[in-house]
Amino acid sequence: MCLFCKIVNKEINANIELENENFLAFHDINPKAPTHLLAIPKIHVDSFNEVSPETMTGMTEFIQELVKQVGIDKSGYRVITNVGDNGGQEVKHLHFHVLGGAKLTWGHFSDADPKDYL
Ligand code: 5GP
Ligand code: ZN
């Protein structure tokens, strides 16, 4: 069972912020912003590549509720999902990073010039 499935099953502790029948949001153990939450579907989905439109509909509503609950909906925030090796995905259970609470830098991306990849 993957790490985030264990958090869903309460086999591993997490600081849970919001939960409903299908989704869970908890605070990232290594926060990159004053507010750094991870929103996940309770069912195991490897990545954004495999997620269904139905799950995304629920996820959208869930994240909208989450950002209101933690009070960052008006000040602004960023939602990120990393996919695969190039995306830097470490945990192979779909998760959306929700970052806010301060003016965010553009630092989650490579500093390299796009031309350097060519
Ligand atoms: P990824 O790099 O896969 O997009 O993001 C994985 C995230 O999960 C990282 O930001 C990392 O800090 C977080 N993380 C890894 N293990 C745990 C854990 O056991 N508990 C919590 N709350 N977050 C975790
Ligand atoms: Zn899982």
Side-chain angles (χ1 to χ4, degrees):
M1 191 185 293
C2 92
L3 177 66
F4 287 176
C5 281
K6 286 182 182 162
I7 288 178
V8 170
N9 287 341
K10 312 280 160 76
E11 288 173 33
I12 291 178
N13 279 333
N15 183 2
I16 292 171
E17 181 63 43
L18 185 64
E19 180 169 10
N20 69 19
E21 192 189 343
N22 298 316
F23 301 95
L24 185 68
F26 50 94
H27 292 264
D28 196 293
I29 205 166
N30 181 22
K32 302 280 196 297
T35 300
H36 186 172
L37 292 148
L38 299 172
I40 68 170
K42 287 187 173 177
I43 54 158
H44 182 91
V45 177
D46 283 347
S47 81
F48 192 75
N49 280 339
E50 291 82 17
V51 72
S52 70
E54 292 74 24
T55 297
M56 283 310 300
T57 297
M59 180 61 88
T60 299
E61 290 174 349
F62 184 71
I63 291 175
Q64 288 169 345
E65 182 182 350
L66 177 67
V67 295
K68 278 192 197 120
Q69 177 163 309
V70 299
I72 59 172
D73 56 315
K74 299 285 194 303
S75 52
Y77 56 93
R78 188 173 293 159
V79 180
I80 297 172
T81 188
N82 297 324
V83 181
D85 284 348
N86 281 357
Q89 182 181 6
E90 284 173 8
V91 179
K92 309 301 191 235
H93 180 132
L94 175 66
H95 51 283
F96 290 86
H97 296 261
V98 179
L99 300 139
K103 192 106 181 162
L104 299 170
T105 63
W106 204 230
H108 289 282
F109 304 90
S110 170
D111 292 330
D113 189 310
K115 290 195 292 296
D116 294 345
Y117 293 109
L118 300 175

